């Protein structure tokens, strides 16, 4: 979810070998609305349990900022 100050956002998820497995880009995001949902699959199959690096780039025109957040998500079935 994003707040009212976020104008553009990109979400990138990688596997343990650094290969991009998910990419999503949104512009003009509605505040408090879910976006860039990943269902935990790649090529039609579920990814193995584990940790996946996530990179989020966002831009706020109102605040004149562009930031990158680096985190990880854990997939557990």
């Amino acid at each position: 979810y994003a707040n009212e100050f976020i104008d553009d956002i990109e979400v990138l998820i990688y596997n343990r070998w650094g290969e991009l497995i998910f990419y999503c880009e949104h512009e003009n995001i509605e505040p408090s609305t879910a976006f860039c949902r990943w269902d935990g699959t790649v090529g039609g199959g579920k990814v193995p349990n584990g940790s996946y690096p996530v990179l989020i780039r966002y831009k706020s025109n109102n605040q004149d900022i562009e930031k990158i957040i680096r985190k990880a998500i854990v997939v557990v079935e």
Side-chain angles (χ1 to χ4, degrees):
Y1 295 93
N3 63 28
E4 64 273 9
F5 297 109
I6 304 299
D7 296 299
D8 303 322
I9 196 161
E10 290 178 288
V11 177
L12 299 90
I13 301 175
Y14 299 90
N15 64 16
R16 69 180 82 179
W17 299 281
E19 298 169 326
L20 183 65
I21 59 171
F22 177 79
Y23 176 79
C24 176
E25 178 179 28
H26 274 281
E27 296 177 352
N28 303 318
I29 300 169
E30 291 293 322
S32 302
T33 303
F35 63 92
C36 290
R37 293 179 183 223
W38 178 50
D39 62 1
T41 63
V42 174
K46 292 182 181 179
V47 297
N49 291 344
S51 181
Y52 293 82
V54 178
L55 187 136
I56 302 168
R57 291 185 196 130
Y58 68 92
K59 181 176 167 183
S60 172
N61 296 330
N62 188 26
Q63 296 177 327
D64 194 32
I65 59 171
E66 290 186 35
K67 289 204 175 186
I68 295 175
I69 299 172
R70 290 177 175 86
K71 297 282 184 179
I73 57 171
V74 177
V75 174
V76 179
E77 184 176 11

